[in-house]
Amino acid sequence: MSHHTWNYQDALRAQGYRVTPQREVLMDLVCAARHRPTAQELLAAARARGATLDAATVYRNLKFLTERGLLRAVEQGGVARYELAGPRAGHHHLICRGCGREVEVAGEEAEALFEALAARTGFRVTSDHLVLEGLCPSCAEDARS
Amino acid sequence: MSHHTWNYQDALRAQGYRVTPQREVLMDLVCAARHRPTAQELLAAARARGATLDAATVYRNLKFLTERGLLRAVEQGGVARYELAGPRAGHHHLICRGCGREVEVAGEEAEALFEALAARTGFRVTSDHLVLEGLCPSCAEDARS
DNA sequence: GTAATTGCAAATTATTTGCATTCCT
DNA sequence: AGGAATGCAAATAATTTGCAATTAC
């Protein structure tokens, strides 16, 4: 399956690593997921899809793929969740603690904010994926009752 | 020991909860800690200090104290770390991934940033404690070699 | 006295590691 | 072939839960 816009397979092979079915199923699942899956969710999903793989393999590969820059790990609620890193721009998420809805913010939008921080503290933020909590417009509305 | 500027004991008693020695030792330790301690660190520290308490009690109370707004939990590197919440303003941290140094940013400083986000997305950020990663001035310098 | 809390032990959940075997390239 | 990667099983580590015993108020 090579429906990915980016061919990570060759990138790996070029570095002497192998493209195993386990790695492919993980990449496919992370790619197809609507929300960021955890290692456990990926294991279950992979098996549901008929793949044969062990939890240890999932953990080893998520770490491997993250180190190679193909995936990105985000801590959320104590567990690690994964998403495609790929060759695209960083971005951030706003999670509404009212309805759980998630809004994405382009990296550039946030850059301006980080600029301001850098100017004031000299500290350059490199996080390319923040998860901010707050209230979305509609829940903010409800909160007034 | 009531060296805390804020008397949380009465606040608890007023709500029908008890002030146990275990709870006090936890509050004292979090208060005295230089860096945010984890549940395990608190357990060890409490015992080193001669206190008698179980891991389950530590977890139960950290959760309890956090729910009552006395402590605040921050996820960092997969584990929960705690700090005093108290009646003070929220703030944020910048952690340098070069030297590990930590810089604190007052809540007001960041408010401006959140304002900008709200204006653009309608989303109001309520996180009162972000942990941003980046490079401090001195490490940014070294990175150029 | 009595309900809130604790301790202890056992159960969960997430993740890691050693090692022999398998399988990409 | 030959090293990379997997599976399996066992080891950690962090956290949770049931329940009887304890204790703060």
Side-chain angles (χ1 to χ4, degrees):
Chain A
M1 220 177 277
S2 63
H3 58 261
H4 298 293
T5 49
W6 183 46
N7 183 301
Y8 64 89
Q9 287 100 333
D10 289 344
L12 286 185
R13 275 191 274 257
Q15 306 226 249
Y17 299 113
R18 295 181 185 171
V19 177
T20 64
Q22 297 67 350
R23 281 178 184 170
E24 290 196 291
V25 93
L26 286 177
M27 285 299 282
D28 279 354
L29 287 171
V30 173
C31 176
R34 302 157 71 229
H35 35 292
R36 291 180 281 277
T38 63
Q40 295 295 327
E41 287 168 356
L42 287 169
L43 174 60
R47 284 180 170 166
R49 186 183 268 215
T52 301
L53 81 180
D54 190 75
T57 302
V58 172
Y59 285 105
R60 271 190 292 234
N61 278 324
L62 289 177
K63 185 178 178 186
F64 171 86
L65 294 168
T66 298
E67 285 169 343
R68 301 273 135 8
L70 299 182
L71 295 184
R72 181 183 302 140
V74 186
E75 291 288 350
Q76 215 175 301
V79 277
R81 291 184 167 279
Y82 297 83
E83 67 174 358
L84 282 187
R88 60 175 163 147
H91 59 285
H92 311 275
H93 284 95
L94 303 179
I95 294 184
C96 178
R97 61 183 168 70
C99 59
R101 198 149 62 80
E102 210 172 312
V103 180
E104 199 164 297
V105 180
E108 306 81 50
E109 295 249 31
E111 281 317 313
L113 312 188
F114 296 158
E115 274 311 319
L117 263 191
R120 246 185 284 227
T121 65
F123 194 102
R124 184 147 300 281
V125 173
T126 60
S127 316
D128 56 355
H129 195 134
L130 294 180
V131 179
L132 303 183
E133 213 181 75
L135 283 179
C136 70
S138 113
C139 285
E141 194 73 25
D142 300 347
R144 292 186 310 171
S145 23
Chain B
M1 217 176 277
S2 63
H3 58 260
H4 298 292
T5 49
W6 185 46
N7 183 303
Y8 64 89
Q9 287 100 335
D10 289 344
L12 286 183
R13 275 190 274 254
Q15 305 225 249
Y17 299 113
R18 295 181 187 171
V19 177
T20 64
Q22 292 78 341
R23 282 179 183 168
E24 291 196 290
V25 95
L26 285 177
M27 286 298 283
D28 279 355
L29 287 171
V30 173
C31 175
R34 299 153 76 229
H35 39 289
R36 288 181 283 277
T38 62
Q40 295 295 329
E41 286 168 356
L42 286 169
L43 174 60
R47 285 180 169 164
R49 185 184 270 218
T52 302
L53 81 180
D54 190 76
T57 302
V58 173
Y59 284 105
R60 272 190 294 233
N61 278 323
L62 288 176
K63 185 179 178 187
F64 170 86
L65 295 168
T66 297
E67 284 168 344
R68 301 274 136 6
L70 298 182
L71 295 185
R72 182 184 300 142
V74 186
E75 291 290 349
Q76 217 175 300
V79 276
R81 290 183 168 279
Y82 299 83
E83 68 175 357
L84 282 187
R88 60 173 165 149
H91 59 284
H92 311 276
H93 284 96
L94 303 177
I95 294 184
C96 178
R97 62 181 167 70
C99 58
R101 197 149 63 81
E102 209 172 314
V103 180
E104 199 164 298
V105 180
E108 306 81 50
E109 295 250 30
E111 280 319 311
L113 313 187
F114 297 158
E115 273 311 318
L117 261 190
R120 245 184 285 227
T121 64
F123 194 102
R124 183 148 300 280
V125 174
T126 61
S127 316
D128 58 353
H129 196 135
L130 295 179
V131 179
L132 304 182
E133 212 182 76
L135 283 179
C136 71
S138 113
C139 285
E141 193 74 23
D142 300 348
R144 292 188 308 173
S145 25

